[in-house]
């Protein structure tokens, strides 16, 4: 009976640790997830910047798995090329070691204050960033409390024969230890929790240094498996290059680490004698060494991935330009007309992507998510082709009207591409999250969301029509759609707050998540307004908000 109580207590505190880590991750992602994602998409212009971006994002959200899934999504959407994406993944792997370093100093005394502050913020604020940060503080407090209890529990377990025998067997077979830790990390989706658990084992002498370091290698390998299995991939092998490339760096690092494992104890003892700090330091050094070895070799490594995971050529590829004829540059009017026709194709692709997104959000269609991501990536590539085509046009041959038309085409194309990007990082990500969590919107939310997405599609059609007609009154009507989407979000927020006041705590997470969906739908609509309505109103001097209200 005593052994059963110990096993139940141990399992309970492990679950509390995992739940605390989950609360921290979800709290930060809800508070800053969209902003972090958009910043990440723009901040990977060079390898050092990409590495630093992955490191900072992972240190903020405390999950290299979440960062890996985010970067993989950007790569599928065509927003991040392979080499910077791999660099960002290396940075993410280093970033996840920072929280482990902080926890190695055992700041348990902060736990009660963190939980107290978190509960107060969570209870006293409406759904929003402050409330989400309260969730984060509660999670940090739970992590520290669970770690303290685990440390206390491990003390009497030193003399437990069953645990000693099991850990001894793993110590005699480091490869089995690595595989066991890999499976545990993959199942828990948290290398941080697993490494912290290994630190506790090492601190109490339950795992000798060689076993502890083999388990750390397994945790690093396990965290690279999730993006490979859980990313939104289509049937194009090229979409798997980034997650498989990251897994390859982990496998190579683990192979070298296993070879050097017999000498690892002497190397780490040079940095300090504390076993727990030794585990944290090994985790950090392993990721730094892997990053240092692969950063100079990322370009040839990317070429290798491209060779073994080739781009599938599709003659009907929507990203292939249909109207951008290089010979038309000699006649600017013809060239601009061809570019405008290609820009209108973007709205056709976005319309299909919106329809698929609507299906994914309302009917849990994973195939629709993959197809929509593919179309969004095609929109981004086609926008780049249009921009390049117009940039090579001889400016001296353009009349003032031609210059104005060229600018309007660029504005239209760029904003439609931004709308597709926002659709991918926002609504499609929400659809994937709903499917993964098996959350269901209630009937009222589904009806309102369906109507909102229908309205978004009508606005897209109006955007395309405005680009051709340049109708002033229609531009005013489309511009006021921003107010409509703001009102929708505000009314939904009021309803959500009323539910919370009535004690509907069970619907709190889904309700807050639904508000994010409406907010992101409004973001997509804003790009559509910027694409066609605002340029026309600016031409007539009506862009300022007070002039728009007067026109209303």
């Amino acid at each position: 009976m005593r052994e059963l109580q110990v096993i139940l207590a141990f399992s309970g505190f492990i679950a509390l640790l995992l739940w605390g880590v989950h609360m921290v991750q979800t709290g930060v992602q809800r508070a800053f997830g969209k902003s972090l994602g958009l910043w990440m998409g723009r901040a990977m212009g060079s390898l050092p910047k990409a590495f630093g971006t992955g490191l900072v994002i992972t240190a903020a959200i405390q999950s290299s798995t979440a960062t890996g899934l985010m970067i993989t999504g950007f790569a599928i959407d065509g927003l991040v090329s392979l080499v910077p994406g791999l660099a960002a993944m290396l940075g993410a792997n280093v970033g996840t070691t920072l929280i482990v370093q902080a926890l190695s100093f055992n700041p348990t005394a902060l736990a009660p204050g963190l939980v107290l502050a978190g509960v107060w913020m969570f209870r006293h604020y409406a759904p929003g960033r402050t409330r989400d940060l309260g969730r984060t503080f509660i999670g940090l407090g739970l992590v520290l409390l669970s770690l303290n209890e685990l440390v206390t529990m491990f003390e009497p377990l030193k003399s437990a024969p069953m645990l000693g025998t099991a850990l001894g067997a793993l110590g005699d077979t480091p490869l089995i230890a690595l595989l066991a830790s890999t499976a545990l990390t993959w199942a828990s989706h948290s290398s941080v929790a697993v490494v912290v658990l290994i630190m506790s084992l090492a601190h109490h002498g339950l795992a000798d240094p060689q076993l502890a370091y083999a388990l750390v290698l397994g945790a690093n390998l396990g965290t690279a498996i999730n993006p490979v299995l859980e990313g939104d991939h289509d049937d194009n092998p090229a979409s798997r290059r980034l997650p498989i490339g990251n897994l390859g760096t982990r496998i190579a690092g683990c192979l070298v680490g296993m070879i050097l494992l017999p000498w690892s104890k002497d190397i780490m003892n040079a940095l300090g004698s504390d076993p727990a700090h030794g585990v944290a330091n090994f985790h950090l050094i392993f990721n730094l060494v892997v990053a240092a070895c692969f950063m100079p070799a990322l370009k040839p490594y990317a070429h290798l991935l491209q060779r073994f995971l080739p781009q599938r050529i599709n003659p009907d590829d929507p990203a292939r330009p249909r109207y951008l004829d290089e010979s038309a540059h000699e006649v600017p009017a013809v060239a601009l007309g061809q570019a405008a026709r290609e820009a209108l194709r973007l709205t056709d692709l976005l319309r299909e992507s919106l329809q698929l997104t609507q299906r994914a959000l309302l009917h849990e269609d994973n195939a629709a998510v993959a197809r929509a991501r593919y179309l969004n990536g095609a929109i981004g590539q086609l926008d780049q082709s249009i921009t390049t085509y117009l940039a090579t046009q001889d400016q001296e041959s353009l009349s003032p009207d031609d210059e104005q038309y060229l600018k309007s085409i660029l504005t239209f194309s760029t904003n439609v591409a931004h709308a597709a990007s926002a659709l991918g990082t926002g609504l499609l990500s929400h659809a994937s999250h709903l499917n993964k969590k098996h959350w269901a919107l209630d009937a009222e939310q589904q009806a309102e969301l369906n109507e909102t997405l229908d309205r978004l599609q009508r606005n897209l059609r109006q955007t395309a029509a405005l680009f051709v007609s340049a109708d002033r009154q229609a531009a005013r009507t489309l511009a006021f759609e921003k107010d409509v989407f703001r009102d929708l979000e505000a009314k939904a927020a009021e309803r959500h707050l009323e539910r919370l006041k009535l004690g509907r705590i069970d619907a709190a997470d889904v309700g807050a998540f639904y508000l994010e969906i409406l907010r992101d739908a409004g973001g997509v609509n804003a790009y559509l307004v910027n694409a066609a309505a605002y340029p026309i109103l600016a031409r007539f001097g009506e862009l300022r908000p007070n002039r728009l209200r007067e026109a209303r």
Side-chain angles (χ1 to χ4, degrees):
M1 180 63 69
R2 173 62 180 170
E3 290 78 4
L4 179 60
Q5 290 177 344
V6 171
I7 292 173
L8 287 175
F10 176 74
S11 302
F13 288 124
I14 290 294
L16 184 63
L17 173 63
L18 293 174
W19 184 250
V21 172
H22 171 74
M23 288 190 70
V24 173
Q25 293 171 359
T26 55
V28 174
Q29 289 175 40
R30 290 178 184 180
F32 304 105
K34 184 181 177 184
S35 301
L36 290 174
L38 293 175
W39 177 71
M40 175 186 286
R42 301 188 187 110
M44 291 199 259
S46 65
L47 292 187
K49 285 183 179 179
F51 180 86
T53 299
L55 189 153
V56 170
I57 294 291
T58 304
I61 66 177
Q62 301 181 24
S63 173
S64 60
T65 298
T67 306
L69 292 171
M70 196 183 303
I71 298 172
T72 300
F74 286 157
I76 294 173
D77 289 343
L79 303 177
V80 177
S81 59
L82 182 57
V83 175
L86 290 169
M89 296 293 277
L90 291 173
N93 295 328
V94 174
T96 195
T97 67
L98 301 182
I99 184 62
V100 173
Q101 285 288 326
L103 292 176
S104 68
F105 293 98
N106 192 26
T108 308
L110 300 175
L114 287 170
V115 174
L116 178 63
V119 170
W120 185 84
M121 294 166 67
F122 193 84
R123 294 292 300 272
H124 285 79
Y125 285 88
R129 182 165 293 179
T130 303
R131 194 169 187 263
D132 292 332
L133 289 176
R135 181 187 183 93
T136 301
F137 291 156
I138 294 173
L140 282 172
L142 294 180
V143 168
L144 296 177
L145 288 173
S146 61
L147 287 176
N148 183 63
E149 292 299 327
L150 285 172
V151 168
T152 304
M153 281 192 62
F154 278 134
E155 186 66 33
L157 290 178
K158 287 182 179 180
S159 56
M162 185 183 303
L163 181 61
T165 302
L167 292 174
L170 288 177
D172 294 335
T173 54
L175 180 60
I176 300 299
L178 182 146
L179 295 175
S181 181
T182 299
L184 178 61
T185 307
W186 167 77
S188 66
H189 283 63
S190 177
S191 62
V192 172
V194 174
V195 173
V196 168
L197 176 60
I198 298 167
M199 287 166 51
S200 298
L201 292 172
H203 176 73
H204 288 87
L206 295 171
D208 61 65
Q210 184 169 322
L211 171 59
Y213 300 153
L215 293 172
V216 170
L217 292 176
N220 279 276
L221 182 59
T223 196
I225 295 176
N226 292 301
V228 175
L229 299 180
E230 298 181 12
D232 292 315
H233 307 303
D234 52 35
D235 59 354
N236 188 350
S239 67
R240 295 172 173 80
R241 289 172 182 166
L242 187 57
I244 290 178
N246 179 58
L247 180 60
T249 64
R250 303 288 90 194
I251 291 174
C254 288
L255 288 175
V256 175
M258 290 295 287
I259 294 172
L260 299 177
L261 201 58
W263 299 276
S264 59
K265 179 179 179 181
D266 295 333
I267 297 173
M268 300 311 301
N269 283 341
L271 299 177
S273 58
D274 182 72
H277 281 106
V279 170
N281 291 336
F282 180 84
H283 185 41
L284 173 62
I285 291 173
F286 170 79
N287 284 283
L288 286 174
V289 170
V290 170
C293 291
F294 272 94
M295 282 291 286
L298 283 183
K299 288 185 178 180
Y301 183 48
H303 289 314
L304 185 66
L305 290 170
Q306 290 166 349
R307 179 178 178 182
F308 286 98
L309 297 169
Q311 182 76 32
R312 181 167 294 170
I313 303 298
N314 180 6
D316 300 321
D317 184 2
R320 296 181 64 185
R322 295 181 183 176
Y323 306 112
L324 301 183
D325 186 357
E326 295 295 334
S327 63
H329 279 313
E330 298 178 4
V331 184
V334 175
L336 294 178
Q338 298 292 80
R341 292 180 68 188
E342 203 69 68
L344 282 171
R345 277 193 63 221
L346 296 175
T347 60
D348 294 333
L349 297 176
L350 185 58
R351 185 179 301 113
E352 184 180 352
S353 180
L354 266 173
Q355 292 170 349
L356 291 166
T357 302
Q358 188 169 1
R359 188 190 310 165
L361 282 168
L362 297 174
H363 304 292
E364 295 189 9
D365 191 336
N366 289 324
V369 173
R371 174 64 181 173
R373 286 195 180 279
Y374 173 68
L375 290 174
N376 291 340
I379 291 172
Q381 295 174 45
L382 195 55
D383 170 57
Q384 292 176 4
S385 299
I386 295 171
T387 302
T388 302
Y389 182 79
L390 293 175
T392 57
Q393 178 66 45
D394 183 10
Q395 301 297 311
E396 295 181 359
S397 64
L398 298 176
S399 67
D401 288 341
D402 288 338
E403 290 180 359
Q404 183 65 37
Y405 193 27
L406 185 148
K407 291 178 182 177
S408 69
I409 296 172
L410 282 175
T411 299
F412 181 83
S413 176
T414 300
N415 278 284
V416 172
H418 285 332
S421 175
L423 192 68
T425 57
L427 294 180
L428 279 176
S429 296
H430 295 328
S432 298
H433 196 74
L434 279 173
N435 295 346
K436 182 178 178 181
K437 294 290 185 181
H438 300 292
W439 283 350
L441 303 177
D442 62 34
E444 182 182 6
Q445 290 170 335
Q446 287 190 11
E448 184 179 53
L449 180 58
N450 189 58
E451 182 180 347
T452 300
L453 294 176
D454 284 342
R455 191 179 198 100
L456 198 56
Q457 294 195 49
R458 290 196 298 271
N459 290 349
L460 176 58
R461 290 193 292 270
Q462 185 65 23
T463 298
L466 267 178
F467 180 62
V468 176
S469 68
D471 182 78
R472 185 177 180 180
Q473 185 57 45
R476 291 173 180 168
T477 302
L478 181 59
F480 289 133
E481 285 294 310
K482 277 192 172 183
D483 294 336
V484 173
F485 277 79
R486 290 193 194 101
D487 291 342
L488 281 171
E489 183 185 345
K491 291 177 181 178
E494 291 176 3
R495 291 197 305 270
H496 179 59
L497 190 57
E498 287 299 321
R499 291 184 180 188
L500 294 180
K501 289 180 180 178
L502 293 174
R504 292 285 305 278
I505 304 300
D506 58 318
D509 286 341
V510 177
F513 192 74
Y514 177 66
L515 291 179
E516 293 182 19
I517 294 175
L518 291 183
R519 190 176 302 119
D520 287 334
V524 174
N525 181 73
Y527 282 121
L528 298 181
V529 174
N530 294 344
Y534 277 1
I536 295 171
L537 295 174
R539 198 180 310 162
F540 291 103
E542 293 188 22
L543 183 56
R544 289 175 298 172
N546 60 331
R547 295 293 299 277
L548 282 175
R549 283 193 292 270
E550 291 170 7
R552 199 175 197 176

